[in-house]
Amino acid sequence: MSVQWPEKVIFCEVGPRDGLQNEPSTLAVERKIALIEGVADAGVKIVEVGSFVHPKAVPQMADTDEVARTFRRVEGVEYRALVANLKGVERAMASGITKVKLTVSASESHAKANLNKTPRELIEGFKECAAFAAAHGMEVSGAVSTAFGCPFEGKVPPSQIREIAGRMHDLGLTELSLSDTTGMANPRQVFDLSSMMIKEFPAVRWFLHFHNTRGMALANIVAGMQAGVVRFDGSLAGLGGCPYAPGASGNIASEDMIHMFHEMGIETGIDLGHIIALAGQLRDWVGHADSAVLKAGTCAELVPLTAAKKQG
Amino acid sequence: MSVQWPEKVIFCEVGPRDGLQNEPSTLAVERKIALIEGVADAGVKIVEVGSFVHPKAVPQMADTDEVARTFRRVEGVEYRALVANLKGVERAMASGITKVKLTVSASESHAKANLNKTPRELIEGFKECAAFAAAHGMEVSGAVSTAFGCPFEGKVPPSQIREIAGRMHDLGLTELSLSDTTGMANPRQVFDLSSMMIKEFPAVRWFLHFHNTRGMALANIVAGMQAGVVRFDGSLAGLGGCPYAPGASGNIASEDMIHMFHEMGIETGIDLGHIIALAGQLRDWVGHADSAVLKAGTCAELVPLTAAKKQG
């Protein structure tokens, strides 16, 4: 058997949005800006900077306008924000954010529980967002959440994902993410669903977004690469837990993912040491982390032989 | 691209040996026996029950003779113990253990730091073990530790692993394990090294043994399966940390690995619920664990829809 690995991958940092959104204490605007500027300086080419949603829905994101207006832009970096409706797109534009992301759950029960609408109704509502964005030269990205499983329904049929992706594609979206919102994906499923989506929608730039809830995130990334996906989301320090499993792991840690890519000889264009420093800083700010590399260090950090004597 | 997955895999539980060996408090004999009997009852077909080494070297394993004499055997299950020399093989036989495992480090500095011998010298010393075992109808298994990297030297050249594996094979060993003692393996390396070893030594039954130190263990197992390996070690509750990175993750948790196999539709013949219960019991006994499934539950455990309302 043979396996092909990509020469390079594209990494998107979602910590400032997905990582932080469920943190109980609001991180100061200056710190959010430091993270966004830090990852861009480290070489990350796509950064999800926040979400323009109702401040009561996600209090941590109430300051996204201020953050978005203020951070220093790095040439060549895409800054993306989550929006849920036309108001969000307008706020994004007013804050100088030219790329927005619309999310729809693949699961009826998940969509209804969160927003009291069916996935189709949600996508209908996105039409005006896409039209406004097109009229103002903004790019629209999309995400299908619970694509690999819903905590209420279990597995979502691939045909349902395809239908939803098709409707999102029809809105004129340039890129789509398959999001494993609650960490239910497994490598076989990732390979099969990713392969199918790439085949059905070859013009779409596909992203995969994994949570490490059951420890499978890096295994899923490996399977995704084998299906031909080269774009992956991660979150500094592994922030962003699962709301249905308190205490469980959150998004896959950016530093763990980038470390794996580099160990495999896959280019990211990112300075791993810089990312690890930022992850450590964020851990100190929020008081927790879920990151193997923050605990163990990288594979490249060798131990002086004298240390071995102490181990006996 | 296409990917092939095995229909079934063979899982070996190493918790009673590798998981426990660095635990500071000795687990009572009855509890060790309960673990060994429990995993066999749950359907595990290979169990590493302890090590017959000098009690001063590994105090936790000082009672392996008593454990090995006492536990209830399950028909069809292989009980294996780690040994380091002829004395260990004799003790194994006296305790009714008919399968022993010899380990050699692929790295000169690691071997010298631990045992003050080169890998070749160690293998020379194994000859009498293998001869004794053969004369008494015992099976000998082998492990190449630091096969994917040494904490002092870094990566070990594949040619060096091949040479050591060849010398072990010449001793008459029926199965060999590539062990990632300090969690330095990455999926590309696992695929390449496993493929090479299977090709060079097609008669050997190959095992892979991963630590989750940098979060890559399940990803490495995925890569190993694609290279054709179907035998994997795991440790209940993820016990067995890295001596060079205190607080880092240990062996990949049995329950996380078996959960992934089952989610992928790969048979293990093991009752996952039983394994999770044992892992939880062990966590309570030793006071810690490193297990995604113990924290988050399985993917199959759905949440009642009413719980969603509370999330807003």
Side-chain angles (χ1 to χ4, degrees):
Chain A
M1 274 183 265
S2 78
V3 166
Q4 287 188 346
W5 307 104
E7 259 182 60
K8 56 179 79 175
V9 292
I10 295 159
F11 172 78
C12 170
E13 174 60 48
V14 300
R17 200 275 303 171
D18 197 16
L20 289 176
Q21 68 182 9
N22 291 318
E23 282 299 315
S25 316
T26 301
L27 195 70
V29 166
E30 305 77 55
R31 291 181 168 180
K32 290 181 180 175
I33 291 171
L35 292 176
I36 295 165
E37 294 181 349
V39 295
D41 288 341
V44 174
K45 293 295 180 208
I46 312 179
V47 188
E48 202 160 292
V49 298
S51 56
F52 295 103
V53 292
H54 198 287
K56 279 194 187 153
V58 189
Q60 178 69 255
M61 293 292 122
D63 55 15
T64 293
D65 310 75
E66 188 185 352
V67 170
R69 275 195 309 269
T70 317
F71 71 81
R72 171 177 49 80
R73 270 64 171 169
V74 171
E75 176 91 29
V77 174
E78 295 180 8
Y79 300 97
R80 187 171 78 185
L82 194 73
V83 297
N85 51 34
L86 183 58
K87 179 119 196 273
V89 190
E90 291 169 343
R91 281 170 63 195
M93 190 176 73
S95 309
I97 298 296
T98 56
K99 181 168 185 165
V100 292
K101 187 166 93 171
L102 294 160
T103 294
V104 61
S105 179
S107 143
E108 295 266 334
S109 14
H110 190 261
K112 285 211 150 180
N114 276 310
L115 297 160
N116 203 27
K117 286 188 179 171
T118 67
R120 288 183 189 197
E121 287 166 350
L122 283 167
I123 296 171
E124 271 302 303
F126 290 164
K127 281 188 177 168
E128 57 178 1
C129 301
F132 181 94
H136 294 83
M138 297 169 76
E139 191 183 350
V140 186
S141 170
V144 182
S145 65
T146 65
F148 298 96
C150 162
F152 315 121
E153 291 184 16
K155 296 298 176 195
V156 178
S159 57
Q160 200 165 320
I161 315 287
R162 185 178 49 201
E163 194 215 318
I164 289 171
R167 286 170 184 263
M168 298 281 269
H169 188 234
D170 291 344
L171 294 180
L173 272 53
T174 50
E175 58 186 33
L176 278 174
S177 167
L178 297 172
S179 294
D180 184 26
T181 319
T182 55
M184 293 172 73
N186 71 69
R188 179 178 228 150
Q189 180 190 23
V190 169
F191 182 85
D192 291 347
L193 190 61
S194 302
S195 300
M196 175 182 170
M197 290 298 135
I198 289 172
K199 197 176 157 210
E200 295 274 339
F201 306 100
V204 168
R205 296 195 298 276
W206 286 99
F207 280 74
L208 290 170
H209 173 106
F210 293 118
H211 284 235
N212 204 27
T213 322
R214 277 95 186 173
M216 291 187 275
L218 294 181
N220 288 332
I221 288 168
V222 164
M225 285 194 286
Q226 289 173 15
V229 180
V230 292
R231 295 173 184 85
F232 301 95
D233 292 349
S235 176
L236 283 172
L239 296 193
C242 174
Y244 309 105
S249 294
N251 285 273
I252 179 66
S254 308
E255 58 276 19
D256 289 355
M257 193 196 310
I258 296 165
H259 175 259
M260 181 178 80
F261 289 140
H262 291 190
E263 286 294 315
M264 295 176 74
I266 296 170
E267 284 175 41
T268 64
I270 295 167
D271 177 343
L272 176 61
H274 196 157
I275 292 293
I276 292 172
L278 288 165
Q281 174 68 82
L282 181 54
R283 172 196 56 199
D284 295 347
W285 284 340
V286 301
H288 63 99
D290 201 328
S291 158
V293 165
L294 279 186
K295 277 195 285 186
T298 67
C299 293
E301 290 170 56
L302 298 184
V303 178
L305 196 45
T306 47
K309 308 297 180 190
K310 294 179 211 154
Q311 307 295 338
Chain B
M1 276 184 264
S2 78
V3 167
Q4 288 187 346
W5 307 105
E7 260 181 60
K8 55 178 80 174
V9 292
I10 295 159
F11 172 78
C12 169
E13 173 59 48
V14 300
R17 199 276 303 171
D18 197 17
L20 288 176
Q21 69 181 10
N22 291 318
E23 283 298 317
S25 315
T26 300
L27 195 70
V29 166
E30 310 82 82
R31 290 180 169 182
K32 290 181 179 174
I33 291 171
L35 292 176
I36 295 165
E37 294 181 348
V39 295
D41 287 341
V44 174
K45 292 296 178 208
I46 313 180
V47 188
E48 202 160 289
V49 299
S51 57
F52 294 103
V53 293
H54 198 287
K56 279 193 188 153
V58 189
Q60 178 70 253
M61 293 291 121
D63 54 16
T64 293
D65 310 75
E66 186 184 351
V67 170
R69 275 196 309 270
T70 317
F71 70 82
R72 171 176 48 80
R73 269 63 171 170
V74 171
E75 176 91 26
V77 174
E78 295 181 10
Y79 300 98
R80 186 171 80 185
L82 193 74
V83 298
N85 51 34
L86 184 57
K87 179 121 198 270
V89 190
E90 291 169 345
R91 281 170 63 196
M93 190 176 73
S95 309
I97 298 295
T98 56
K99 181 167 185 164
V100 291
K101 186 166 95 170
L102 293 160
T103 294
V104 61
S105 179
S107 145
E108 295 267 332
S109 13
H110 191 261
K112 285 211 147 179
N114 276 311
L115 298 160
N116 203 29
K117 285 187 181 172
T118 67
R120 288 183 189 195
E121 287 166 352
L122 283 166
I123 296 171
E124 270 303 302
F126 290 164
K127 281 188 177 167
E128 57 178 4
C129 301
F132 181 95
H136 294 82
M138 297 168 76
E139 189 183 351
V140 186
S141 169
V144 183
S145 66
T146 66
F148 298 96
C150 161
F152 314 122
E153 290 184 16
K155 296 298 175 195
V156 179
S159 57
Q160 201 165 316
I161 314 287
R162 185 178 49 201
E163 195 216 318
I164 288 170
R167 286 170 185 264
M168 298 281 270
H169 188 234
D170 290 344
L171 294 179
L173 272 55
T174 49
E175 59 186 33
L176 278 173
S177 167
L178 297 172
S179 294
D180 184 25
T181 319
T182 55
M184 294 172 72
N186 70 69
R188 178 178 229 150
Q189 181 190 22
V190 168
F191 181 85
D192 291 346
L193 190 62
S194 302
S195 301
M196 175 182 168
M197 291 297 134
I198 289 172
K199 198 176 157 208
E200 294 274 338
F201 306 101
V204 169
R205 296 195 298 276
W206 287 99
F207 280 74
L208 291 171
H209 174 105
F210 294 117
H211 284 235
N212 204 27
T213 322
R214 277 96 186 172
M216 291 187 275
L218 294 180
N220 288 332
I221 288 168
V222 165
M225 286 195 285
Q226 288 172 18
V229 180
V230 293
R231 295 173 183 84
F232 302 95
D233 291 350
S235 175
L236 282 174
L239 295 193
C242 174
Y244 309 106
S249 296
N251 285 273
I252 179 66
S254 309
E255 58 276 20
D256 289 354
M257 193 196 310
I258 296 165
H259 175 258
M260 181 178 80
F261 289 140
H262 290 190
E263 286 294 315
M264 294 175 73
I266 296 170
E267 284 176 40
T268 64
I270 295 168
D271 177 344
L272 177 61
H274 196 158
I275 291 293
I276 292 173
L278 288 165
Q281 175 68 83
L282 180 56
R283 173 196 55 197
D284 295 345
W285 284 341
V286 300
H288 63 98
D290 201 331
S291 159
V293 166
L294 279 187
K295 278 194 283 187
T298 66
C299 293
E301 291 170 55
L302 298 185
V303 178
L305 195 46
T306 48
K309 307 299 182 192
K310 294 179 212 155
Q311 306 295 338

